[in-house]
Amino acid sequence: MDYEAQLDAALSRLHEEGRYRTFIDIERQKGQYPKAVWRRPDGTEKDITVWCGNDYLGMGQHPAVLGAMHEALESTGAGSGGTRNISGTTIYHKALEAELADLHRKEAALVFTSAYIANDATLSTLPKLFPGLITYSDELNHASMIEGIRRNGGAKRVFRHNDLAHLRELLEADDPAAPKLIAFESVYSMDGDICPMEAICDLAREFGALTYLDEVHAVGMYGPRGGGVAEKLGLMGRIDIINATLAKAYGVMGGYIAATAKMVDAIRSYAPGFIFTTSIPPAVAAGAAASVRHLKTDQSLRDKQQEHARVLKTRLKALGLPIIDHGTHIVPVHVGHPVHCKKISDMLLQDYGIYVQPINFPTVPRGTERLRFTPSPVHSMDDIDRLVRAMDKLWSHCALNRAELTA
């Protein structure tokens, strides 16, 4: 085997398809986000505005978060020092889990190093707790959910995206006595659409299934205290396991589940992805807890974010751009070709100082490549104006004409 040749061939395929991923080196500016500095490969620097970040509310620079992190860092040092079982559980981890359990009105919560790990570890462990478990998974679920379900060794059924009739058909075809789990997301991040949550909960009750909800792109963003779409709809009590992140609206890092105390205890006790992983640093846990606590009462940030998203969508639609609009905080612009998508992204960065990464396969299906903008309350109206003007000029006048871009 010529290993070097195999690697070259694998990377060449990505380049040929126009979906090779290029990392942009940026330095965020504390107190000035979404402003940042782009460090070019030649060593020069350019001021840019970040339009593709997941720090949806700018909490990564909030004084309450930074203050809590500084205090914990000075008190405890850098790392946690071990797994949760072996010296890695601190007062900061326990305080964070208490805040999260309260946020979702659940008995308990369990913090992981990321929401990816939380999904993978939990979903791959559930069949150990419920032998014979059948998992029903929305076809557009996140890769972490797909991986956890794939690895759990149990039966799985994939239902068409948000298709209740198909989900019912699959549920009806299986043994009524078999344990069942319906796994789905609240806000699907690539299109920004929302699941029919109440109807899914109704089906779960009818067929005796557990519900597993990924609120990664919704916590902090929706509901009177930021508990997500389930809180907004008054359905938290009907969700058995909630998964979410601390790395998006809360601006820090880590993931978690929230459920009954007994469910959390079982996952804590059986999931290798939790048991054998060093816990997040105490300073990170302290910052996350402060962010969760703050957003339980600060509705103004959520309101301002929604306002900026509405303004951006309205203005881009007025230009005739193919916006995908499901009424959420995510603003995808459909391009439909990986090379075109990358070219627009590159020109926005180089010519206008606007940073938005192209979203290509396998994150989205081939032919649905897009630019995904995430307006925040810390973007200004001037930032929005500059983005709209740049998109108008590129869409209308660059070497790629409008017909090619929307083909």
Side-chain angles (χ1 to χ4, degrees), residues 139-402:
E139 67 176 339
L140 293 189
N141 278 341
H142 189 265
S144 59
M145 300 174 75
I146 294 170
E147 182 64 12
I149 294 166
R150 184 191 67 79
R151 291 199 311 108
N152 71 22
K156 70 174 180 180
R157 314 282 186 257
V158 178
F159 61 94
R160 291 185 291 272
H161 180 52
N162 283 346
D163 189 330
L164 296 169
H166 190 213
L167 175 57
R168 170 179 286 280
E169 178 185 325
L170 294 173
L171 287 163
E172 288 176 338
D174 283 318
D175 181 356
K180 300 175 178 67
L181 175 82
I182 304 174
F184 57 104
E185 299 185 40
S186 56
V187 177
Y188 288 85
S189 64
M190 289 301 109
D191 283 349
D193 58 328
I194 296 177
C195 70
M197 191 179 300
E198 185 171 13
I200 291 175
C201 289
D202 289 343
L203 283 173
R205 179 171 55 194
E206 180 181 347
F207 289 92
L210 296 171
T211 48
Y212 185 102
L213 173 65
D214 183 306
E215 288 261 38
V216 160
H217 291 276
V219 288
M221 305 295 293
Y222 300 92
R225 300 198 312 154
V229 175
E231 183 189 33
K232 178 182 178 181
L233 299 177
L235 296 172
M236 285 195 298
R238 300 185 66 184
I239 303 298
D240 294 296
I241 304 173
I242 293 174
N243 164 278
T245 186
L246 302 165
K248 292 183 169 60
Y250 294 119
V252 193
M253 73 165 290
Y256 64 90
I257 61 166
T260 65
K262 192 170 293 185
M263 180 72 79
V264 166
D265 191 22
I267 297 298
R268 178 190 71 85
S269 301
Y270 279 86
F274 176 82
I275 295 169
F276 298 105
T277 301
T278 298
S279 62
I280 62 174
V284 172
S291 187
V292 173
R293 191 179 309 118
H294 179 86
L295 286 177
K296 287 177 180 177
T297 59
D298 192 348
Q299 183 61 33
S300 65
L301 284 176
R302 287 187 279 274
D303 290 343
K304 192 170 184 181
Q305 193 284 327
Q306 290 290 333
E307 176 191 356
H308 286 182
R310 283 193 297 269
V311 169
L312 180 59
K313 288 177 184 178
T314 299
R315 293 194 61 184
L316 291 177
K317 285 180 184 177
L319 298 177
L321 271 64
I323 302 297
I324 303 169
D325 185 4
H326 292 284
T328 59
H329 59 285
I330 295 166
V331 185
V333 177
H334 182 269
V335 177
H337 192 286
V339 174
H340 296 172
C341 201
K342 180 68 165 61
K343 184 170 184 179
I344 298 174
S345 171
D346 288 346
M347 288 189 291
L348 284 170
L349 182 65
Q350 294 163 7
D351 299 340
Y352 297 93
I354 291 170
Y355 175 40
V356 56
Q357 280 286 73
I359 306 295
N360 295 329
F361 178 83
T363 306
V364 295
R366 298 180 194 275
T368 69
E369 292 81 6
R370 67 201 61 186
L371 300 172
R372 177 181 175 273
F373 297 98
T374 53
S376 74
V378 292
H379 284 95
S380 68
M381 285 299 174
D382 284 342
D383 291 330
I384 294 175
D385 188 61
R386 284 192 291 272
L387 170 60
V388 170
R389 290 177 183 274
M391 286 295 289
D392 185 28
K393 187 170 184 179
L394 289 178
W395 211 265
S396 302
H397 303 298
C398 70
L400 304 170
N401 63 49
R402 189 182 301 268

Side-chain angles (χ1 to χ4, degrees), residues 6-152:
Q6 289 297 113
L7 292 174
D8 286 339
L11 292 171
S12 293
R13 286 195 298 272
L14 295 179
H15 283 287
E16 290 165 4
E17 294 173 16
R19 59 185 186 92
Y20 179 79
R21 296 173 188 240
T22 302
F23 295 163
I24 307 299
D25 296 336
I26 68 170
E27 181 181 355
R28 286 169 51 132
Q29 307 291 296
K30 189 182 80 170
Q32 299 179 47
Y33 186 76
K35 305 304 178 185
V37 173
W38 170 32
R39 302 191 185 281
R40 296 184 176 106
D42 64 4
T44 60
E45 298 181 352
K46 182 179 180 67
D47 292 333
I48 63 171
T49 303
V50 178
W51 273 101
C52 56
N54 284 335
D55 187 355
Y56 290 143
L57 298 177
M59 290 301 294
Q61 63 180 0
H62 196 283
V65 175
L66 300 184
M69 294 185 75
H70 278 295
E71 181 180 349
L73 185 64
E74 292 300 320
S75 298
T76 69
S80 68
T83 65
R84 287 292 297 273
N85 184 52
I86 305 176
S87 82
T89 294
T90 70
I91 58 172
Y92 300 100
H93 296 86
K94 299 302 290 184
L96 173 57
E97 287 172 344
E99 287 287 353
L100 295 168
D102 172 75
L103 174 68
H104 295 290
R105 305 301 191 196
K106 298 296 185 186
E107 293 176 349
L110 191 66
V111 171
F112 295 75
T113 51
S114 72
Y116 188 108
I117 297 299
N119 268 333
D120 184 23
T122 303
L123 287 165
S124 63
T125 297
L126 286 172
K128 300 176 186 177
L129 308 174
F130 307 105
L133 181 71
I134 304 171
T135 302
Y136 303 82
S137 175
D138 188 290
E139 67 176 339
L140 293 189
N141 278 341
H142 189 265
S144 59
M145 300 174 75
I146 294 170
E147 182 64 12
I149 294 166
R150 184 191 67 79
R151 291 199 311 108
N152 71 22

